[in-house]
Amino acid sequence: MSGTKTFDEKDLAEIEKLTKKYPEKQAAVLPVLWYAQDKFGHVDPSVQKLVAETMDLPEAHVYGVVTFYTQFYEKPMGKHVLDVCTCLSCQVCGGYDILNYLEDKLGIMAGETTPDGEFSIQSVECLGACGYAPMLQVTNDKYVNYLTYEKIDKLIDDLKSGKQPGFESNKMPQHENGTE
Amino acid sequence: MPEIFIDHKRYEFEQPGKVLQFMLDNGMDLPFFCYHPSLSIPANCRQCIVKAGMPVFDRDRGTFKLDEKGERIIRFFPKLMTACSLDLADGMVVYTHHTDELVKQAQADNLEFILINHPLDCPICDQAGECPLQILTYKYGPEGSRFEHKKVHKPKAIQLGPRVILDAERCINCTRCVRFTDEISKTHQLTIISRGDKNYPMTANDQVFDDPYSLNTVDICPVGALTSADFRFKARVWEMNQTPGIDISNGKGCSTWVWTRDNLVMRITPRFNEAVNDHWMPDSGRLSYRTFNENRISKPWLRPDNKEQVRTTWNNAELTLREELDKVESSQILVIGSPHASVEDNYTFKKYFESLGVTDFYYLPHVVPGAGDDLLLSDDQAPNTLGVRALGYSEIAGDKLPKIVTSAKPKLVFILDDDILDRSDLTSSHLEDAFTVYWGTNHNGTSLAANLVIPITTAVEHAASYINVDGRIQRTVPAKETLYTNRRLNLEMSMGRLDHYGTKFDNWVTDANRIDCIPAWEFITRLNPGSDTFAWESSRQILAEIGGKLNIFRGVTYEQMDEENGIQLNLEQDSEVNTV
Ligand code: SF4
Ligand code: SF4
Ligand code: FES
Ligand code: FES
């Protein structure tokens, strides 16, 4: 990362638009942080400062918001961020096994990035897909459900070859016996 | 009048308000952590839960619905409610732990939850003894914990700022500290970071918690998570005596608690005073406690023949002073009062020299432009500027002082507790031809330049009043013994555990901590033995005398000041002011 980060004219106009949607500018911190993360790839302290200054909000507040959500990256991350859920439901269904498998496979620990900058792993809290536990989310986007070691192997290969995981229809028990 | 039933008892209320505050105001007990009367209400600790309900109203008949027994039918809220955020409502029924088992159980369970990851630090925790978590757990908590796993650990001893240290493990995330910086000091320096069992308060990435009011967060933190860098590990709460006082490091005169142990001031904390400082005080005022302990003038000092100052006896000081007075005319005496000294000291000082024929009295204001703010700091750095002015001393600017001294060519200069050499263009060479007598509490440039130094008591050693920048007169209570006072005999002084159960011979009693000094008025009494005019026995008597002479002070008593946390004076009213 080089140089100081700034928002250009277009960014400022966009942020202005986002902020206007809410009665109070504090409420716009989330969308503006998303915007900043899209632009810079992360919201490290310098971006947090930039956001706080642009929105004229206390830096501490922005910092608090960023640290609350694992979805905001406090430092530069790999190209693909694998958020493995280790919250209750996933945990009892083997979330930690999946995490450990992934850690061994990529040779990094949760919270780290592979030296080639391809992958980062995070251990995160419930992503609201407990029914499909254990699961993970790829770079704040696609969910990969009912994880097995084989699925992980495939996911990594796919991502390496530039293929994003596709939609997967998951049958719930009630679908199976036709009593929806 | 609207009514509310708490634990089957009927209460009336006039103002809208919250149930918890209403209960506290009416002397009822309910455990709580996050609520603070001067901050917003987040209701996040869940400790103040009660069972609450409203009577069912029959719209058709316009009356409350009654059951077979003729009692109002109550529809309870589906879940327990947090009393701190629950509005008082006409007819509301509230059950607390006194009457409801569920509430009692819920309070204990909530404490069990709060304590799940709490370290068992009490033996080494500064908060112990004044810790709401400790107290409430003792009163309302479960006997033990069912949690048998490894506790979550968080960082300890993080220096948040120059004056505040955080122990994240002890934090219960009540957000009081964050709300303080958001709502009171408005520096917005703190936030809660992360979430779940990992969260704790922090400053933004590279920021320092240097809020000039930062130590207030230490007071309101209901646990030992925030501690004062200065006071940390210095004294246990139960070893100290707590005496009401006022902050004399600033013109605002915040009400304070002075905490002493073995006659040393250990810390100063704010005391609630709605009219002045609410629950808060600036950090600078608290840290000024050092001036009461350190660098004190103990025993009179004399500089024979312009040599080094040496300690001398009170008798010798008295004799020397009399000799010097005998040598001069009243017109050769220059008297400088002090905005740092009390009303009583300034009054007696002036009265004494008036009796000798002196007519001009001066004081040097201590104002630092820009030092103040909108909260509790004033530009005025002295606690009694309006007091010394009301007593008829004339203000003199620091740059005019040398002129007065050179033109009047005084032979004898009396300076009351004020480091005027530090704040004016006056230098010690201006005073070379005069015999200078300094009546002061601490050694400083002015005391060093003096020929005779009379040690006098500070605001924590005497009872005396001070008028703050807003014209409010407030008084102090002796907190620290001098060589001549004794807390067992002076009923106004507080007695701590060590005083009650200790003896003079205990190894924690240090005689050197008691300073050899007396109030300025007492020295004047000593200079005039047998005189009726100067025969004061207490500062109370002096204030009564002032009240008889000056309209401003008419009817002002220590009792009223104590009861009302000071009295607002009408400083404009009096035209006789300058004719004491
Ligand atoms: S905060 Fe209170 S309960 Fe916790 S360790 Fe300190 S004194 Fe004990
Ligand atoms: S540090 Fe203290 S005041 Fe701040 S949130 Fe934690 S417990 Fe509350
Ligand atoms: S616990 Fe993993 S998605 Fe809910
Ligand atoms: S005091 Fe009511 S929820 Fe904390």
Side-chain angles (χ1 to χ4, degrees):
Chain A
M1 294 291 119
S2 65
T4 39
K5 301 188 182 66
T6 45
F7 286 130
D8 60 25
E9 292 286 308
K10 196 180 124 265
D11 298 334
L12 291 176
E14 195 58 39
I15 289 169
E16 175 77 22
K17 221 162 84 196
L18 288 169
T19 314
K20 277 224 188 90
K21 284 193 195 163
Y22 302 90
E24 277 180 57
K25 60 182 173 187
Q26 253 196 8
V29 170
L30 283 181
V32 175
L33 280 172
W34 277 122
Y35 185 85
Q37 183 155 298
D38 283 346
K39 181 178 167 87
F40 301 111
H42 57 81
V43 283
D44 76 355
S46 67
V47 181
Q48 292 166 30
K49 199 183 192 103
L50 177 66
V51 168
E53 275 163 13
T54 312
M55 298 184 74
D56 192 22
L57 281 172
E59 200 185 329
H61 179 76
V62 176
Y63 179 48
V65 173
V66 168
T67 52
F68 186 91
Y69 297 100
T70 38
Q71 284 82 353
F72 289 127
Y73 306 145
E74 284 178 77
K75 54 177 190 231
M77 293 295 227
K79 200 164 134 208
H80 309 288
V81 181
L82 305 172
D83 287 341
V84 184
C85 175
T86 48
C87 202
L88 187 64
S89 309
C90 292
Q91 196 179 117
V92 285
C93 294
Y96 274 109
D97 295 336
I98 296 297
L99 179 67
N100 293 342
Y101 181 76
L102 197 54
E103 284 175 343
D104 289 346
K105 188 175 168 71
L106 296 178
I108 52 170
M109 298 298 281
E112 295 176 352
T113 304
T114 50
D116 60 5
E118 279 294 306
F119 295 100
S120 298
I121 311 178
Q122 291 198 112
S123 156
V124 302
E125 302 303 331
C126 182
L127 292 167
C130 312
Y132 313 136
M135 55 79 67
L136 66 72
Q137 183 178 22
V138 183
T139 329
N140 290 335
D141 192 8
K142 298 275 174 359
Y143 280 15
V144 187
N145 306 312
Y146 295 133
L147 289 173
T148 58
Y149 297 156
E150 294 73 43
K151 271 196 169 175
I152 294 280
D153 292 340
K154 180 164 182 296
L155 175 68
I156 300 294
D157 291 341
D158 282 355
L159 288 173
K160 275 188 179 154
S161 62
K163 220 170 108 204
Q164 285 290 324
F167 174 74
E168 194 185 353
S169 163
N170 290 306
K171 279 231 161 65
M172 299 295 278
Q174 61 263 44
H175 296 132
E176 269 155 28
N177 54 32
T179 56
E180 199 169 335
Chain B
M1 194 174 289
E3 53 185 7
I4 179 165
F5 301 86
I6 302 175
D7 290 337
H8 305 296
K9 230 180 127 204
R10 179 174 179 275
Y11 298 87
E12 290 187 345
F13 61 93
E14 288 171 41
Q15 307 289 332
K18 306 288 181 190
V19 172
L20 174 60
Q21 187 61 53
F22 180 79
M23 290 181 65
L24 298 176
D25 291 346
N26 284 281
M28 287 172 264
D29 71 307
L30 200 63
F32 67 93
F33 292 111
C34 68
Y35 176 74
H36 190 284
S38 297
L39 300 173
S40 60
I41 305 171
N44 63 22
C45 75
R46 318 307 286 176
Q47 191 56 50
C48 64
I49 33 184
V50 291
K51 183 172 166 186
M54 292 297 291
V56 181
F57 195 70
D58 189 333
R59 280 173 205 276
D60 300 334
R61 297 212 212 133
T63 57
F64 291 117
K65 277 197 185 149
L66 304 178
D67 62 11
E68 317 84 75
K69 284 196 233 132
E71 294 190 7
R72 285 183 190 174
I73 298 176
I74 306 297
R75 187 177 292 145
F76 286 95
F77 291 104
K79 293 195 177 162
L80 298 181
M81 303 293 285
T82 48
C84 63
S85 60
L86 184 62
D87 281 306
L88 293 168
D90 194 10
M92 181 177 267
V93 173
V94 172
Y95 293 115
T96 72
H97 52 286
H98 291 299
T99 46
D100 192 283
E101 275 306 309
L102 180 65
V103 174
K104 198 169 171 173
Q105 186 63 46
Q107 286 175 355
D109 289 348
N110 195 54
L111 276 162
E112 196 179 344
F113 264 125
I114 290 178
L115 288 164
I116 272 192
N117 284 312
H118 197 81
L120 296 171
D121 272 352
C122 303
I124 50 133
C125 177
D126 267 314
Q127 191 84 349
E130 55 177 3
C131 175
L133 182 57
Q134 241 184 3
I135 298 166
L136 297 183
T137 304
Y138 183 71
K139 282 170 85 171
Y140 306 92
E143 300 263 307
S145 170
R146 286 168 286 173
F147 187 71
E148 293 170 344
H149 308 274
K150 215 178 122 202
K151 296 194 177 215
V152 172
H153 287 293
K154 299 188 207 175
K156 282 175 111 65
I158 315 171
Q159 187 103 27
L160 279 188
R163 295 174 292 278
V164 178
I165 291 179
L166 168 73
D167 183 306
E169 282 182 351
R170 297 183 193 148
C171 171
I172 61 166
N173 284 290
C174 70
T175 71
R176 275 183 176 188
C177 54
V178 177
R179 280 175 283 145
F180 177 82
T181 62
D182 278 345
E183 296 162 22
I184 306 292
S185 70
K186 304 224 164 67
T187 56
H188 308 280
Q189 284 181 340
L190 294 181
T191 186
I192 300 282
I193 60 159
S194 197
R195 66 174 155 163
D197 56 13
K198 298 186 190 63
N199 57 359
Y200 54 88
M202 237 316 125
T203 52
N205 294 295
D206 55 352
Q207 279 182 12
V208 191
F209 186 37
D210 57 359
D211 190 317
Y213 294 89
S214 66
L215 282 169
N216 290 293
T217 60
V218 174
D219 299 334
I220 59 174
C221 177
V223 288
L226 297 176
T227 50
S228 154
D230 180 79
F231 177 67
R232 208 167 138 84
F233 304 138
K234 289 264 178 67
R236 309 266 33 183
V237 176
W238 54 87
E239 294 173 334
M240 292 185 285
N241 302 13
Q242 192 184 0
T243 315
I246 60 170
D247 178 11
I248 57 150
S249 70
N250 192 262
K252 198 76 186 177
C254 295
S255 292
T256 60
W257 287 114
V258 180
W259 299 76
T260 52
R261 185 188 64 186
D262 189 16
N263 291 311
L264 286 179
V265 181
M266 305 304 295
R267 67 169 179 184
I268 292 177
T269 56
R271 180 165 53 92
F272 176 66
N273 184 345
E274 206 173 9
V276 180
N277 55 308
D278 203 48
H279 295 273
W280 323 117
M281 78 178 281
D283 290 0
S284 54
R286 303 173 189 250
L287 297 178
S288 72
Y289 77 90
R290 288 211 175 86
T291 55
F292 301 123
N293 302 335
E294 293 164 15
N295 193 29
R296 290 291 306 274
I297 306 173
S298 192
K299 256 178 140 19
W301 291 72
L302 184 66
R303 189 141 57 92
D305 313 320
N306 283 333
K307 291 208 213 70
E308 283 286 289
Q309 277 183 351
V310 290
R311 270 178 214 261
T312 183
T313 61
W314 285 95
N315 276 343
N316 198 16
E318 237 177 275
L319 283 174
T320 314
L321 192 55
R322 287 224 181 83
E323 272 171 25
E324 294 298 326
L325 281 168
D326 284 344
K327 287 193 219 156
V328 300
E329 301 287 315
S330 64
S331 60
Q332 293 170 311
I333 303 178
L334 176 68
V335 181
I336 301 174
S338 169
H340 288 281
S342 65
V343 168
E344 288 81 348
D345 279 356
N346 274 299
Y347 169 79
T348 50
F349 198 63
K350 180 159 178 260
K351 180 173 172 183
Y352 172 58
F353 292 107
E354 272 171 336
S355 78
L356 300 178
V358 178
T359 49
D360 295 328
F361 297 89
Y362 303 101
Y363 79 94
L364 184 70
H366 192 176
V367 176
V368 178
D373 60 17
D374 300 336
L375 200 50
L376 293 172
L377 288 165
S378 59
D379 287 354
D380 193 343
Q381 303 295 300
N384 196 27
T385 307
L386 291 181
V388 65
R389 194 182 295 165
L391 289 167
Y393 285 84
S394 324
E395 178 175 321
I396 175 138
D399 53 345
K400 303 257 167 56
L401 208 50
K403 210 168 118 219
I404 295 225
V405 174
T406 35
S407 64
K409 294 206 175 41
K411 284 256 149 44
L412 246 180
V413 178
F414 289 92
I415 302 164
L416 184 58
D417 196 25
D418 198 357
D419 191 3
I420 56 170
L421 291 195
D422 184 46
R423 288 211 315 282
S424 68
D425 297 346
L426 200 70
T427 61
S428 50
S429 60
H430 288 113
L431 298 171
E432 247 160 25
D433 297 334
F435 188 87
T436 310
V437 187
Y438 184 71
W439 308 43
T441 57
N442 295 67
H443 293 288
N444 53 36
T446 313
S447 79
L448 284 177
N451 301 75
L452 178 63
V453 182
I454 307 294
I456 61 169
T457 46
T458 59
V460 300
E461 286 152 330
H462 60 212
S465 32
Y466 298 80
I467 304 180
N468 81 354
V469 282
D470 301 315
R472 192 175 181 85
I473 187 166
Q474 313 182 94
R475 73 116 167 183
T476 61
V477 173
K480 181 177 183 313
E481 286 174 329
T482 67
L483 214 48
Y484 310 103
T485 58
N486 185 327
R487 42 179 99 245
R488 283 180 197 270
L489 302 178
N490 183 345
L491 297 183
E492 218 170 55
M493 297 188 77
S494 63
M495 293 271 289
R497 269 165 53 110
L498 298 188
D499 307 313
H500 271 293
Y501 306 114
T503 75
K504 231 176 123 22
F505 310 107
D506 289 320
N507 58 6
W508 63 76
V509 175
T510 320
D511 278 330
N513 293 346
R514 296 155 76 204
I515 308 291
D516 190 351
C517 61
I518 57 176
W521 58 264
E522 206 173 308
F523 190 64
I524 292 166
T525 309
R526 280 182 73 148
L527 285 175
N528 299 277
S531 145
D532 282 348
T533 338
F534 301 104
W536 303 292
E537 269 165 11
S538 68
S539 50
R540 210 174 275 265
Q541 212 181 338
I542 299 168
L543 190 69
E545 180 179 321
I546 304 173
K549 290 199 176 167
L550 283 166
N551 275 342
I552 291 181
F553 296 93
R554 191 150 294 153
V556 172
T557 60
Y558 283 178
E559 284 71 26
Q560 198 190 345
M561 283 190 241
D562 291 348
E563 264 162 41
E564 301 168 16
N565 264 331
I567 304 166
Q568 188 62 42
L569 300 178
N570 185 355
L571 290 170
E572 314 306 317
Q573 79 172 22
D574 203 277
S575 50
E576 302 167 40
V577 169
N578 289 314
T579 61
V580 183

